[in-house]
Amino acid sequence: MILSEVTSMIMDQLSNASLYDGVHPRLKKGFNFLLDNDLQALPVGKYEIEDDKVFVMIQEYETKLIEECRLESHYLYTDIQYVIKGEERMVYTNKAETELVEAQQENDVMFLKGEGNHLIVKEGSFAVFMPQDAHMPGVCVNQPQAVKKAVVKVLCD
């Protein structure tokens, strides 16, 4: 089953992650990692769950003004973007509604130009972006603030 054929962007609280168990087995593995680990205590870095098919990147950064962020999408991977601490604005739209600016297929990312819907993802919540979902993470809500986030990369094959 190809994940991008099943559904599109999801936003919810981590406490509801089990609702999405049937979407894709690798997505479930990613959620299980988020549920089974003390994410507040995990240092910044990459954590493999299933080789290069499912892995997590723990990040800490300051959110930015929207003008400083870029709309992106991925060729192969689905993102689970879970806010561990803080909150951030994320923009999303269907990739078909955008214009390609830069393709980096070797890095599984393309940068796009377009408008989208704005979501506020608060501490304890996540957003799932499939390959057809253009998304702009890391945008400040009102003013820049420190955020700790887990980005789970799930191969959609």
Side-chain angles (χ1 to χ4, degrees), residues 3-19:
L3 190 53
S4 62
E5 292 176 355
V6 179
T7 187
S8 192
M9 199 283 300
I10 299 167
M11 184 177 155
D12 206 340
Q13 295 181 347
L14 188 58
S15 57
N16 293 326
S18 64
L19 296 173

Side-chain angles (χ1 to χ4, degrees), residues 5-154:
E5 292 176 355
V6 179
T7 187
S8 192
M9 199 283 300
I10 299 167
M11 184 177 155
D12 206 340
Q13 295 181 347
L14 188 58
S15 57
N16 293 326
S18 64
L19 296 173
Y20 310 100
D21 283 356
V23 175
H24 194 281
R26 288 191 188 129
L27 198 67
K28 182 178 179 178
K29 287 181 181 185
F31 281 127
N32 285 344
F33 180 93
L34 297 176
L35 290 164
D36 296 342
N37 288 278
D38 180 0
L39 302 174
Q40 292 281 359
L42 274 182
V44 170
K46 181 179 175 180
Y47 300 85
E48 288 188 3
I49 299 170
E50 184 186 329
D51 303 314
D52 64 342
K53 294 181 173 118
V54 185
F55 58 93
V56 179
M57 295 177 299
I58 302 296
Q59 306 172 337
E60 290 181 346
Y61 57 86
E62 183 114 338
T63 56
K64 298 177 182 176
L65 299 174
I66 196 164
E67 301 83 34
E68 301 172 53
C69 299
R70 299 200 290 176
L71 201 57
E72 65 183 51
S73 185
H74 305 290
Y75 293 94
L76 301 173
Y77 285 87
T78 290
D79 284 359
I80 303 172
Q81 299 206 9
Y82 173 68
V83 178
I84 300 166
K85 183 178 180 188
E87 67 179 5
E88 70 179 56
R89 180 182 311 272
M90 296 183 194
V91 179
Y92 93 98
T93 189
N94 189 290
K95 184 169 57 177
E97 308 279 322
T98 66
E99 177 185 328
L100 181 64
V101 174
E102 181 183 350
Q104 295 182 14
Q105 197 159 1
E106 68 281 2
N107 296 323
D108 190 51
V109 67
M110 65 185 81
F111 295 102
L112 309 157
K113 184 173 142 183
E115 300 294 320
N117 298 303
H118 292 233
L119 312 166
I120 306 299
V121 184
K122 297 180 181 237
E123 191 170 308
S125 296
F126 65 85
V128 177
F129 299 106
M130 313 297 176
Q132 74 270 14
D133 297 322
H135 55 285
M136 181 188 298
V139 181
C140 66
V141 175
N142 294 312
Q143 60 187 17
Q145 67 170 279
V147 166
K148 184 172 186 181
K149 186 164 78 174
V151 177
V152 183
K153 304 295 282 185
V154 180

